[in-house]
Amino acid sequence: MTDTSTSTAVAATASLTTNTPRRFYRGGERIFAFRGLEATPDFDGYRPEDWIGSTARLFAEGGGGVTTLDGGLELPEAFAADADGWFGEAHVARFGGDPNLLTKLLDSGERLPVHSHPSRAFATAHLDCDHGKTEAWIVLVAEPDATVWVGFRDELSAIDLEELVDAQDDRLLAALNPIEVSAGDAVLVPAGQPHAIGEGVLILELQEPTDFSVMLEHRRFGLELDHAFLGLERPVALKSVDHGPVTAERLATLRRRWVDVEDSGSALPEEASAYFRAEVVRPVTGDVTVAAAYAAVVVVDGQGSFTSRHGTLDVRAGDVLLVPFSAGDVTVGGDVTLIRCMPPAP
């Protein structure tokens, strides 16, 4: 693949290497396999996330996570130097130089803890941040019978929730809705909904650009309480959690089969568009041209060509690009499937 990454502040298409901060849970092997790479020398089995186009930092665990372009320029500096080039004038007029998006590859080497993320309103009131953490999972690889969990099946009182969190036992997971997933599924997880991801899943994750998590299940993972509850008093942190119920009918609105999209179309339910967009591009009837946009582009299958004002790149499964608005309209050709992860439309 041709590498057009840049060490200057001028917006240009960049081919991104892995950015895998150490986390408290196991995973990472599927990320390196998907990207066709050897594990990095520091790989210790606890590198389960590849942060793509990141301006966010870990809330705890050392504070890493920001993307660095070739030449050592951190992404927030690049964005600040040429916001119009990266995002376009309409985005800057609405959001400033904030990408309003964090994209990840996530490999669950073990079941993740039951946790939830605050809403924008809660983050503004209690965390001095305009972003909450609504997120979406685009399943790329899943072991047989792979399961995720979203939302409480029954309505819980505040006391019920406190008792489950106090107990730190299997009843917390059992209270959630289980969902079997396979490659090609997509699930939207609104802020506030408790959830977990089972072992054996590789997902492409879009989220608001924060690392805010309320770790309802924390003892098994050895998490300190300040980490588990975002430095807040527990009763305050638990106010960010939706008590349910999340019905089967509601779950159906949060799910989609992205693999069924041909030529181009959304990978996610319409509800996601207020937070981020994920556009599947799969040329089936011929080359496909899509409109200019800032995007983290992940090639998920096959190989083909990716043509913009910055030239033509040969791309294949596992490639990751950061594409600025200034690259213009993009034409994709070949036997390839890619997903453009983008902020909400301005």
Side-chain angles (χ1 to χ4, degrees), residues 5-6 18 23 61 63 76 83 115 134 157 172 184 198 212 215-217 226 243 252-253 255 273 292 306 338 344:
S5 58
T6 179
T18 55
R23 304 290 339 235
E61 303 166 89
H115 63 289
T134 288
S157 69
L172 192 52
F212 296 148
M215 298 295 183
L216 304 176
E217 183 183 18
D226 270 357
H243 292 195
T253 70
R255 302 185 64 184
S273 63
F306 185 94
L338 58 84

Side-chain angles (χ1 to χ4, degrees), residues 119-138:
S119 67
R120 291 172 175 173
F122 185 92
T124 299
H126 298 284
L127 299 168
D128 193 28
C129 183
D130 293 335
H131 298 297
K133 196 183 171 188
T134 288
E135 66 186 33
W137 308 329
I138 297 172

Side-chain angles (χ1 to χ4, degrees), residues 159-212:
I159 293 174
D160 292 334
L161 179 58
E162 289 175 359
E163 288 178 350
L164 285 176
V165 173
D166 278 341
Q168 291 292 296
D169 60 24
D170 292 342
R171 288 178 294 167
L172 192 52
L173 184 69
L176 301 179
N177 290 291
I179 304 171
E180 287 195 11
V181 292
S182 59
D185 282 336
V187 182
L188 176 65
V189 185
Q193 291 300 340
H195 58 275
I197 300 172
E199 181 179 354
V201 184
L202 176 67
I203 65 172
L204 173 61
E205 183 177 41
L206 291 83
Q207 62 179 76
E208 293 181 78
T210 75
D211 190 43
F212 296 148

Side-chain angles (χ1 to χ4, degrees), residues 53 55 79 87 91 95-101 209 294 342-344:
T55 59
F79 288 165
F87 303 118
H91 176 106
F95 301 118
D98 185 338
N100 268 255
L101 176 67
Y294 167 78
M342 298 175 289

Side-chain angles (χ1 to χ4, degrees), residues 13 32 45 52 55 68 74-75 90 95 109 119 125 148 152 158 171 183 270 292 295 309:
T13 299
F32 290 105
I52 298 168
T55 59
T68 300
E74 287 197 338
L75 201 55
F95 301 118
S119 67
V148 300
F152 289 124
R171 288 178 294 167
E270 175 59 29
R309 289 175 185 161

Side-chain angles (χ1 to χ4, degrees), residues 22 33 64 89 103 112 128 174 194 214 226 251 262 291 293 295 299 321 328-329:
R22 194 180 194 280
E89 292 181 358
T103 304
L112 274 64
D128 193 28
V214 177
D226 270 357
L251 283 177
E262 294 186 354
V299 184
L321 305 174
D329 294 351

